[in-house]
C-alpha cells in the first residue's frame, strides 16, 4: 500500500524533486502546500530549490497509508541585503531589546554602562535612561538590566542594584515593584515574574512570585520544595509565552524546569551556556558547553516530525555558539557564532539544514519575532535585514 509526502515552503513557487523526479509546486492562494501521493513505502530524497536561494534537502521516510509531512521549510537567500534604518550616530553598540510595538529600541553603551532609548523610525534623539531614572526615582542606584513593559511602549521595567521599578519615560514617573533586588526576574504577558526568598517559610527557601502590571498586586506562583537548598544560587529565569512553564539557571550552569500546571520542579540539564523557550511554549532549547544544541519537547507534537512529550533531540555543532534565539515559527533557531549568524532547523531527519545568514558577531544582533527582522549596530548606525 502506498503513502505520500506533503510539503509546505516559504517562499512558495519552488522547484521540487523527489528521488530525481520533478514535481510541480501546487501551493497557491487556496492550497498551502504540495501533496505527492501514491509513493511506494521507502525513504525518498526530497530537494527544494529556488533561484537565488540555498537548496533544502531532506530524506523523508514514507509509510503505508500515511502522509509524511515537511511543513516548516524555510529557504534562505544566498545574498541578504541589509537595510540602513538610520545613519544617525547612535550612542552605544549593544542592542538590549526592541519594544513589543517595534517602534523603540534600547541600546547599551557597554563601556559606560549607559542605556539609551531610540525611536526606530527617527533615531536622531537619544533618551538617556540612566540619567532620567536617577532624576525620576531620586536615587543613585546603578541600572543592572532593562526590559520593555508588556503593553505600554513608554514604560520600562528596570532592575537596579537595590530594587525593581517601572519607569514611565513619557510622564517621567517611577513606580516600585520590589524594594529589594530580586534574585532573577523576567517579563511575560501582563506579569513580571521574579525569584526571592520565601518570606512565609521558616526555612527561607526560594519562592517564585508574579507582579500583575494591570492589577498592581503580587502573587506567589510556586514555592520550592522543602528539600531544596536555600544556599543554591540562581542567576537567570525565563517564562514560556504560555506562562505555564518556567526555567531557572543556577550558578553551576544547570537549568531547572518548573511546571506550574503540575506544581513540579526538576533538573533538566547541566553545563548550559544559553537556553530559550520556543514562541509556542512547547519546546525548550538549551546550548551545552560541549558544542551541543538540544531540544526538549514539552508537549506531544503530532504534525510534521512527530515527537512525544519528554523527547530530546541533540545536534552536534562544529563550533560553540555564543547565543541562541528562536525563530518566530518555533521550528528554526538563530545561532550566533563568533563571526557569523546562522539559521538552523530543528528537524532531526537527515540531512540537517543549517545556513549562514550574515557575518555578524554572535552577541551583536537582535532578532525581532514580530517583524521577522534581524537588527545590528555597525559604525554607530542601525541596520536590519529580513529572514
Amino acid at each position: 500500500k502506498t503513502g505520500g509526502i506533503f510539503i509546505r515552503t516559504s517562499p512558495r513557487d519552488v522547484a521540487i524533486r523527489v528521488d530525481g523526479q520533478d514535481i510541480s509546486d501546487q501551493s497557491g492562494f487556496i492550497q498551502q502546500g504540495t501533496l505527492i501521493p501514491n509513493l511506494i513505502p521507502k525513504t525518498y530524497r526530497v530537494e527544494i530549490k529556488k533561484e537565488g536561494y540555498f537548496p533544502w534537502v531532506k530524506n523523508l521516510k514514507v509509510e503505508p497509508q500515511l502522509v509524511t509531512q515537511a511543513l516548516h521549510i524555510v529557504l534562505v537567500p544566498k545574498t541578504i541585503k541589509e537595510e540602513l534604518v538610520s545613519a544617525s550616530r547612535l550612542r552605544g553598540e549593544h542592542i538590549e531589546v526592541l519594544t513589543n510595538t517595534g517602534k523603540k529600541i534600547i541600546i547599551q553603551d557597554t563601556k559606560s554602562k549607559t542605556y539609551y532609548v531610540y525611536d526606530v523610525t527617527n533615531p536622531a534623539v537619544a533618551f538617556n535612561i540612566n540619567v532620567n531614572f536617577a532624576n525620576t526615582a531620586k536615587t543613585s542606584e546603578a541600572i543592572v538590566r532593562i526590559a520593555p513593559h508588556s503593553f505600554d511602549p513608554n514604560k520600562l521595567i528596570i532592575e537596579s542594584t537595590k530594587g525593581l521599578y517601572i519607569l514611565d519615560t513619557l510622564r517621567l514617573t517611577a513606580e516600585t515593584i520590589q524594594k529589594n533586588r530580586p534574585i532573577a526576574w523576567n517579563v511575560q504577558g501582563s506579569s513580571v515574574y521574579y525569584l526571592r526568598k520565601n518570606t512565609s517559610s521558616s526555612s527561607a527557601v526560594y519562592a517564585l512570585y508574579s507582579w500583575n502590571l494591570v492589577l498592581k498586586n503580587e502573587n506567589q506562583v510556586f514555592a520550592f520544595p522543602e528539600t531544596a537548598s536555600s544556599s543554591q544560587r540562581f542567576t537567570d529565569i525565563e517564562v514560556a509565552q504560555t506562562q505555564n512553564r518556567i526555567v531557572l539557571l543556577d550558578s553551576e550552569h544547570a537549568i531547572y524546569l518548573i511546571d506550574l500546571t503540575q506544581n513540579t520542579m526538576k533538573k533538566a540539564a547541566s553545563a548550559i551556556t544559553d537556553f530559550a523557550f520556543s514562541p509556542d511554549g512547547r519546546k525548550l532549547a538549551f546550548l551545552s558547553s560541549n558544542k551541543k544544541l538540544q531540544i526538549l519537547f514539552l508537549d506531544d507534537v503530532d504534525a510534521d516530525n512527530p515527537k512525544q512529550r519528554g523527547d530530546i533531540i541533540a545536534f552536534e555543532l562544529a563550533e560553540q555558539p555564543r547565543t541562541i534565539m528562536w525563530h518566530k515559527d518555533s521550528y528554526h533557531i538563530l545561532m550566533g557564532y563568533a563571526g557569523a549568524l546562522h539559521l538552523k532547523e530543528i528537524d532531526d531527519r537527515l540531512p540537517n539544514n543549517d545556513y549562514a545568514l550574515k557575518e555578524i558577531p554572535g552577541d551583536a544582533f537582535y532578532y525581532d519575532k514580530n517583524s521577522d527582522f534581524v537588527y545590528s549596530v555597525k559604525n554607530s548606525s542601525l541596520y536590519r535585514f529580513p529572514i
Side-chain angles (χ1 to χ4, degrees):
K1 295 182 180 180
T2 61
I5 295 175
F6 185 77
I7 292 170
R8 190 163 60 204
T9 68
S10 176
R12 301 177 185 177
D13 190 23
V14 297
I16 304 172
R17 289 177 68 87
V18 177
D19 273 4
Q21 180 180 351
D22 293 333
I23 305 293
S24 61
D25 186 356
Q26 303 164 6
S27 59
F29 181 74
I30 298 177
Q31 185 165 318
Q32 300 297 313
T34 299
L35 175 63
I36 309 166
N38 304 319
L39 296 176
I40 297 173
K42 68 170 190 173
T43 299
Y44 291 83
R45 179 179 175 85
V46 179
E47 300 174 78
I48 309 293
K49 294 184 179 181
K50 187 177 178 68
E51 186 176 354
Y53 291 80
F54 288 107
W56 180 92
V57 180
K58 188 72 66 179
N59 299 323
L60 299 179
K61 185 178 182 180
V62 173
E63 303 281 0
Q65 295 182 297
L66 295 176
V67 175
T68 301
Q69 298 176 326
L71 305 177
H72 301 90
I73 301 173
V74 174
L75 299 185
V76 173
K78 293 180 179 178
T79 302
I80 298 178
K81 294 182 179 180
E82 286 184 308
E83 171 191 355
L84 177 62
V85 180
S86 174
S88 302
R89 292 191 61 82
L90 304 177
R91 300 179 184 180
E93 76 293 344
H94 178 74
I95 299 176
E96 191 73 14
V97 70
L98 198 69
T99 62
N100 295 338
T101 60
K103 295 180 180 179
K104 294 184 179 180
I105 192 167
I106 300 174
I107 297 177
Q108 183 193 30
D109 184 331
T110 54
K111 292 182 179 179
S112 65
K113 297 184 179 180
T114 304
Y115 295 87
Y116 299 93
V117 176
Y118 289 94
D119 187 318
V120 173
T121 59
N122 182 27
V125 179
F127 179 91
N128 189 312
I129 301 175
N130 295 60
V131 171
N132 282 277
F133 172 69
N135 293 337
T136 303
K138 302 186 186 311
T139 178
S140 59
E141 302 168 25
I143 294 178
V144 178
R145 184 178 156 223
I146 296 176
H149 195 279
S150 296
F151 47 83
D152 191 332
N154 296 312
K155 292 182 179 180
L156 301 171
I157 313 297
I158 294 181
E159 175 192 358
S160 74
T161 51
K162 293 185 178 180
L164 196 60
Y165 304 87
I166 300 175
L167 175 66
D168 191 320
T169 61
L170 183 63
R171 297 177 178 84
L172 292 181
T173 59
E175 175 185 356
T176 302
I177 298 177
Q178 282 289 302
K179 292 183 179 179
N180 296 314
R181 182 181 173 186
I183 298 168
W185 65 279
N186 216 320
V187 184
Q188 190 59 263
S190 60
S191 297
V192 180
Y193 291 84
Y194 46 89
L195 186 68
R196 59 178 170 83
K197 296 288 186 179
N198 187 353
T199 55
S200 62
S201 172
S202 58
S203 58
V205 180
Y206 294 115
L208 186 68
Y209 297 85
S210 68
W211 173 267
N212 192 291
L213 295 169
V214 179
L215 302 178
K216 311 291 185 183
N217 61 358
E218 180 185 78
N219 292 290
Q220 181 177 302
V221 295
F222 182 80
F224 281 47
E226 294 183 359
T227 54
S229 172
S230 59
S231 62
Q232 187 173 19
R233 292 178 55 209
F234 291 95
T235 58
D236 200 4
I237 180 174
E238 181 161 346
V239 183
Q241 190 167 322
T242 50
Q243 299 185 60
N244 61 338
R245 296 183 176 102
I246 293 168
V247 166
L248 298 174
L249 175 72
D250 71 8
S251 58
E252 301 298 322
H253 302 287
I255 56 174
Y256 296 79
L257 178 63
I258 297 176
D259 190 322
L260 297 181
T261 59
Q262 299 184 0
N263 198 36
T264 58
M265 174 179 173
K266 63 180 181 180
K267 186 175 181 179
S270 301
I272 301 303
T273 60
D274 201 7
F275 62 96
F277 280 111
S278 60
D280 62 11
R282 307 182 70 184
K283 310 172 196 74
L284 175 66
F286 44 93
L287 192 62
S288 303
S289 57
N290 60 349
K291 297 185 290 188
K292 180 183 292 185
L293 172 68
Q294 298 182 73
I295 311 295
L296 169 64
F297 289 82
L298 305 172
D299 295 308
D300 293 346
V301 178
D302 298 324
D304 209 358
N305 186 17
K307 299 295 179 185
Q308 293 183 334
R309 176 174 177 165
D311 284 351
I312 296 179
I313 57 176
F315 300 97
E316 302 291 340
L317 308 174
E319 58 180 301
Q320 184 70 31
R322 293 181 178 179
T323 185
I324 56 173
M325 289 185 72
W326 280 92
H327 184 262
K328 68 175 185 178
D329 68 0
S330 295
Y331 284 87
H332 291 80
I333 289 182
L334 287 159
M335 309 189 69
Y337 290 93
L341 178 64
H342 283 229
L343 181 70
K344 184 180 186 65
E345 66 179 7
I346 65 164
D347 190 336
D348 60 340
R349 295 174 292 188
L350 297 176
N352 182 252
N353 294 281
D354 187 326
Y355 307 97
L357 298 179
K358 274 287 184 182
E359 293 183 355
I360 298 176
D363 52 0
F365 77 95
Y366 181 84
Y367 171 62
D368 178 43
K369 296 181 180 67
N370 295 319
S371 64
D372 207 19
F373 274 94
V374 173
Y375 289 81
S376 64
V377 176
K378 294 187 296 184
N379 300 321
S380 300
S381 297
L382 183 64
Y383 292 83
R384 71 178 185 181
F385 63 86
I387 295 181

